[in-house]
Amino acid sequence: MKILSNILRKFLPDFLYQESIAPERRARYKKLWFLVISLISIVSLVPLIIMTVINIHQTQDIAETEIKQPLAMFAMNAKRSFEYNFEERKAALDFIIKERSFQELSDHRTLAEVFLNLKQSFGGFVDLGLIDSDGVQLAYAGPFDLENMNYADQDWYNEMRVRDSYISDVFLGYRNFPHFVIAVKHEKAGEGFYILRATLDIEFINRQIEHLDIGQADAFLINRDGVLQTHSIYYGEVNQKFYHEVPKFSRRAEVIDLVNDVGDSFMIGYAYIEQSPFVFLIAENVESLLQNWTTLRRDIITILIASVILIAVVTIWGTSSMVDKISEADTKHDQMVHNMEYTNKMASIGRLAAGVAHEINNPLAIINQKAGLFKDIVSVKDEFPEKSKYVKLLDSILQSVDRCSQVTHRFLGFAKRLDVQVTPINIEALLKEVLEFLGTESVQRGINIEFSIPDEIPEIESDKGQLQQVFLNIINNSFQAMDDGGSLTIAIGNSGMGFVDVNITDDGEGISEENLNHIFEPFYTSKKEGTGLGLSITYGIVKKLGGEIMVKSEVGVGTSFKVVLPIKLVETSFN
Amino acid sequence: MADFQVLIVDDELEFVTALVERLKIRGIRAEGALRADQAMVKLAMKTYDIILLDIKMPGMKLADTIERFNEIKPGVQIILVTGYGSSAEGEEGLKLGAVDLMAKPIKFDKLIQRMTELTLGKNG
């Protein structure tokens, strides 16, 4: 299950799993993903499938035609052969009955002679008899003793009353072996008719079937009522019923499909043998016939399935990586735009603030000097009325000016500007100094501070005082966000490319996303007390020192500040 | 008290006059100038130990002005005053020989102390 989901994970695009992507954007990617996969699939699979279906149909048609044609041909050949042979024998009998007189044929010896000649010339004859118009066999030549047999009540005899010739079904009869009858009639002028009746062994038919050379196929005869006239491999013995419906009459040879009761499918070629009750059938097992074609179809379908799988895999994989690339590019682009906007915004705020601070500093300087002068004058003169009250008022003004200038100076980072001094700094030592400064607070509140410092952290070149200010601000912020007994982690790392980073993580209340977006802006504060300048100054200092500051936070979980600093402070990064 | 002369160069009239008067109350000889050229004329005619110079005035190039001051009166101590937090000009001024850069509004006591230090250094 896990392996399966891992494989699936590899094929599905990454954007599905990246929580940082906004839902509406993910929905857009999903739509794009589906669209591209659908389009490629349709464009590649539909023609492939159509082609395969056409191919299968065509090869099936060809295969069936290849089977049906020989079957029809066999049936047609058999039909001609049988018709010819029956006609030949009928013609022979017809010749005899016309050539010899009734008296001659009634004579045993003459009939026996004729029968012997007939047998030698044509073959297949078992016996020969002369029957008068009452149905009595007057003379008989053959292996049985059938003289004076009366056939008056038999079907064939009744048929003969209205017809000139007749070929019977195969039957066992008095002789008790499968045979059939060919009879011809001769009319005596004004004296009724007499019949020459010959019996033919079923072997005569079997020999003809053998001559067809039909190989493995099952060839046999049925009569028009569907009774087997010869042995059949698939359908049984003589006189058994052919359990399919008798095929429809046609003058030509036809081929039909039949399924037997155990589900085997047969293809049957058949032809009606005219002037006889027989229908010739040749049956072939379709499965064995279509074996080649079935193999071909299986190969075609296998190739189709393999192609579909290959196309699906390549399509999904390709589309996934394409959409992922788009997603990555979008994310990068967003990040860039966001960074640029943020930098621009901070720069604008900085310029605005500096401008405002400057404009305020000038009048503030005048207020400062005027109030100072006022105080000087009041102080110098002994007899100034309510002198102490004025001095107090003026002190209050001067203090307020002082407060204002503290704000504007901090704001402008003025003091820091003047103090810039680059020295080698051990960050760990610097952080410990900052913590010492805050030491009593962490001890009193039971805050646990953990350090994580790898050995290979190089000393960096930077401004010590300003860095102290940076970390003091951040750690102070963390302390304010934390409950008593919380824990603070300070991790120093080597970012590579000539930078080190300091990660300060607390488990405090966290910062909402809305506040996080404005956290470095001046005068933005979520605290009741505080100027909202601390982190904006921190931001300004870090930027000035050629570094970056980042913050991540989750409400209820904690906040993490990351300060990245260059190991070597490049002079230009000051401006 | 302190025995030195100060020239205050700033385009803010009120600032200059108040500061001049306050210095005078403390027995320091102080004069004001509202433009750099005016200051140069005064510098040529009189002796000043310290010049308090606003780094941003209309129509003034700080670097040229400091150079001219030094030409007219070599060795004059120039304290730069700025209302801006950070400016490349302030840094440049310090490089060109100004002795200090102070932020407006200047604490008066601090200014007196600094000027005293500078003149003592000179006299000593």
Side-chain angles (χ1 to χ4, degrees):
Chain A
M1 213 47 218
K2 203 171 174 203
I3 296 167
L4 202 71
S5 74
N6 276 347
I7 291 171
L8 205 64
R9 174 75 181 78
K10 279 216 167 65
F11 270 102
L12 290 179
D14 292 339
F15 72 79
L16 283 176
Y17 298 89
Q18 280 163 358
E19 283 171 13
S20 56
I21 296 171
E24 59 267 32
R25 181 168 277 190
R26 181 175 300 152
R28 202 152 53 80
Y29 292 146
K30 243 188 219 170
K31 216 167 132 189
L32 178 70
W33 189 68
F34 277 119
L35 185 74
V36 173
I37 287 179
S38 312
L39 278 179
I40 295 178
S41 301
I42 288 169
V43 165
S44 56
L45 292 184
V46 167
L48 185 69
I49 290 168
I50 289 174
M51 242 170 60
T52 307
V53 170
I54 289 173
N55 195 344
I56 286 175
H57 272 277
Q58 274 182 344
T59 51
Q60 188 174 17
D61 282 349
I62 291 166
E64 283 185 356
T65 311
E66 270 175 7
I67 295 162
K68 277 180 178 170
Q69 263 177 352
L71 284 180
M73 208 181 69
F74 275 127
M76 200 63 207
N77 286 346
K79 171 186 158 81
R80 285 200 190 109
S81 165
F82 277 113
E83 279 172 2
Y84 171 76
N85 278 303
F86 290 151
E87 198 54 48
E88 189 185 48
R89 272 149 192 78
K90 225 167 23 183
L93 292 178
D94 205 36
F95 175 76
I96 292 165
I97 205 167
K98 281 175 181 154
E99 167 69 19
R100 301 292 177 112
S101 69
F102 181 72
Q103 280 73 25
E104 279 175 315
L105 290 174
S106 309
D107 180 61
H108 298 287
R109 271 169 308 187
T110 316
L111 192 70
E113 198 182 316
V114 167
F115 173 59
L116 197 68
N117 289 339
L118 191 65
K119 222 170 143 181
Q120 280 169 355
S121 302
F122 292 97
F125 287 101
V126 176
D127 57 16
L128 186 67
L130 182 75
I131 292 136
D132 67 10
S133 52
D134 296 326
V136 177
Q137 186 149 273
L138 299 175
Y140 172 79
F144 304 103
D145 181 20
L146 297 171
E147 226 171 76
N148 296 323
M149 270 288 289
N150 194 329
Y151 292 106
D153 55 346
Q154 289 201 356
D155 289 344
W156 71 267
Y157 174 74
N158 290 324
E159 283 274 318
M160 281 310 285
R161 296 169 80 99
V162 293
R163 291 170 58 173
D164 287 337
S165 66
Y166 172 74
I167 297 175
S168 77
D169 289 346
V170 173
F171 60 101
L172 293 173
Y174 303 120
R175 296 164 184 83
N176 206 24
F177 71 90
H179 62 282
F180 68 101
V181 166
I182 298 177
V184 293
K185 190 172 80 175
H186 192 69
E187 301 268 354
K188 274 193 294 182
E191 290 178 42
F193 61 87
Y194 58 93
I195 297 163
L196 192 61
R197 176 183 183 275
T199 305
L200 279 97
D201 193 340
I202 198 171
E203 281 304 312
F204 166 68
I205 292 173
N206 287 342
R207 270 200 307 279
Q208 288 191 57
I209 291 173
E210 275 167 30
H211 283 153
L212 289 171
D213 193 20
I214 41 117
Q216 298 290 316
D218 182 18
F220 54 97
L221 294 182
I222 60 171
N223 68 13
R224 293 179 193 208
D225 295 325
V227 178
L228 284 170
Q229 302 293 291
T230 62
H231 165 75
S232 157
I233 299 166
Y234 298 127
Y235 296 98
E237 294 303 325
V238 178
N239 273 339
Q240 283 182 343
K241 190 89 177 157
F242 176 64
Y243 49 73
H244 296 300
E245 215 176 294
V246 178
K248 224 168 65 201
F249 176 76
S250 165
R251 288 196 181 278
R252 297 171 55 242
E254 303 285 346
V255 179
I256 52 169
D257 292 311
L258 289 174
V259 179
N260 72 5
D261 50 0
V262 290
D264 289 332
S265 189
F266 288 96
M267 205 166 268
I268 292 178
Y270 72 91
Y272 274 72
I273 299 165
E274 284 177 48
Q275 304 293 327
S276 86
F278 304 127
V279 182
F280 173 82
L281 286 91
I282 177 163
E284 282 254 46
N285 191 320
V286 170
E287 266 165 53
S288 65
L289 288 177
L290 291 178
Q291 204 169 17
N292 284 342
W293 179 74
T294 314
T295 314
L296 182 67
R297 186 180 59 178
R298 199 194 54 212
D299 290 349
I300 293 172
I301 290 172
T302 308
I303 290 169
L304 174 71
I305 291 170
S307 306
V308 169
I309 291 172
L310 190 71
I311 289 170
V313 166
V314 170
T315 304
I316 293 172
W317 178 76
T319 310
S320 293
S321 51
M322 185 194 80
V323 177
D324 275 341
K325 287 267 170 356
I326 293 174
S327 151
E328 273 168 36
D330 281 357
T331 308
K332 259 185 207 157
H333 177 255
D334 285 356
Q335 191 66 46
M336 234 169 65
V337 168
H338 180 262
N339 283 352
M340 234 163 67
E341 278 176 354
Y342 197 76
T343 307
N344 282 343
K345 188 173 84 175
M346 292 305 278
S348 302
I349 291 172
R351 274 196 302 276
L352 176 74
V356 170
H358 176 243
E359 291 310 316
I360 287 172
N361 276 345
N362 278 328
L364 216 51
I366 296 168
I367 295 169
N368 193 35
Q369 295 312 330
K370 294 286 179 193
L373 178 58
F374 198 166
K375 194 184 157 193
D376 287 351
I377 293 164
V378 172
S379 304
V380 171
K381 291 192 175 162
D382 294 331
E383 69 283 14
F384 202 86
E386 298 189 71
K387 184 174 170 177
S388 65
K389 191 181 172 187
Y390 278 102
V391 169
K392 229 170 128 185
L393 282 170
L394 288 163
D395 276 341
S396 176
I397 292 171
L398 288 170
Q399 274 167 23
S400 297
V401 168
D402 202 38
R403 263 175 64 190
C404 284
S405 64
Q406 266 177 25
V407 171
T408 54
H409 285 184
R410 278 187 70 189
F411 201 36
L412 292 164
F414 190 85
K416 298 298 163 201
R417 184 86 200 159
L418 298 183
D419 290 338
V420 165
Q421 278 180 331
V422 178
T423 50
I425 296 165
N426 179 328
I427 294 195
E428 184 187 350
L430 181 130
L431 280 162
K432 287 195 167 146
E433 276 172 34
V434 170
L435 285 171
E436 225 165 84
F437 183 76
L438 292 163
T440 47
E441 186 182 351
S442 63
V443 173
Q444 277 168 11
R445 292 179 53 196
I447 290 168
N448 177 41
I449 297 168
E450 260 177 62
F451 261 97
S452 160
I453 299 151
D455 296 333
E456 69 281 7
I457 293 298
E459 282 194 336
I460 66 164
E461 271 183 11
S462 200
D463 186 288
K464 192 174 175 181
Q466 299 204 28
L467 273 189
Q468 277 177 339
Q469 182 72 57
V470 165
F471 293 119
L472 192 69
N473 283 349
I474 294 171
I475 295 170
N476 227 344
N477 260 289
S478 294
F479 279 5
Q480 285 173 20
M482 283 157 73
D483 291 329
D484 291 357
S487 94
L488 184 78
T489 312
I490 299 172
I492 305 174
N494 199 335
S495 318
M497 311 283 287
F499 286 89
V500 294
D501 54 75
V502 180
N503 296 278
I504 297 168
T505 308
D506 67 55
D507 60 354
E509 59 193 12
I511 304 161
S512 73
E513 208 178 315
E514 169 62 19
N515 285 342
L516 212 55
N517 285 335
H518 301 286
I519 192 162
F520 295 122
E521 291 169 21
F523 302 119
Y524 194 89
T525 178
S526 57
K527 299 175 209 153
K528 277 182 190 141
E529 294 162 18
T531 57
L533 284 175
L535 283 175
S536 78
I537 288 168
T538 304
Y539 180 91
I541 295 171
V542 173
K543 281 274 178 186
K544 204 161 68 179
L545 295 177
E548 290 285 344
I549 180 164
M550 286 150 273
V551 59
K552 268 194 274 186
S553 188
E554 203 175 321
V555 173
V557 177
T559 305
S560 177
F561 280 93
K562 180 177 194 163
V563 179
V564 182
L565 295 165
I567 291 171
K568 263 204 179 328
L569 190 53
V570 182
E571 197 61 35
T572 52
S573 66
F574 265 82
N575 296 321
Chain B
M1 221 185 126
D3 180 26
F4 51 86
Q5 298 188 46
V6 183
L7 176 62
I8 297 157
V9 189
D10 197 308
D11 57 328
E12 293 274 3
L13 176 68
E14 297 296 335
F15 176 75
V16 175
T17 51
L19 197 54
V20 167
E21 205 173 339
R22 290 192 78 185
L23 289 169
K24 278 182 176 166
I25 287 171
R26 282 165 179 75
I28 296 164
R29 281 170 291 166
E31 281 185 52
L34 292 176
R35 294 195 314 275
D37 53 352
Q38 200 182 357
M40 284 168 204
V41 173
K42 290 204 168 191
L43 188 62
M45 290 165 62
K46 279 190 176 176
T47 306
Y48 297 99
D49 301 296
I50 291 167
I51 300 173
L52 215 59
L53 175 64
D54 190 343
I55 64 167
K56 260 207 173 111
M57 285 197 288
M60 180 195 83
K61 275 191 181 161
L62 182 68
D64 295 349
T65 307
I66 292 172
E67 250 170 61
R68 293 280 291 135
F69 283 172
N70 280 328
E71 275 172 29
I72 296 164
K73 185 78 192 293
V76 69
Q77 312 255 33
I78 302 169
I79 296 176
L80 299 173
V81 178
T82 179
Y84 272 108
S86 57
S87 76
E89 281 169 332
E91 303 282 336
E92 201 189 348
L94 288 175
K95 276 183 197 155
L96 285 170
V99 290
D100 208 347
L101 180 62
M102 297 185 97
K104 273 187 182 177
I106 307 162
K107 282 195 175 162
F108 191 70
D109 296 345
K110 214 172 158 188
L111 178 66
I112 299 280
Q113 188 196 340
R114 190 81 184 101
M115 288 195 296
T116 310
E117 276 170 21
L118 287 171
T119 47
L120 278 181
K122 186 195 85 176
N123 294 340

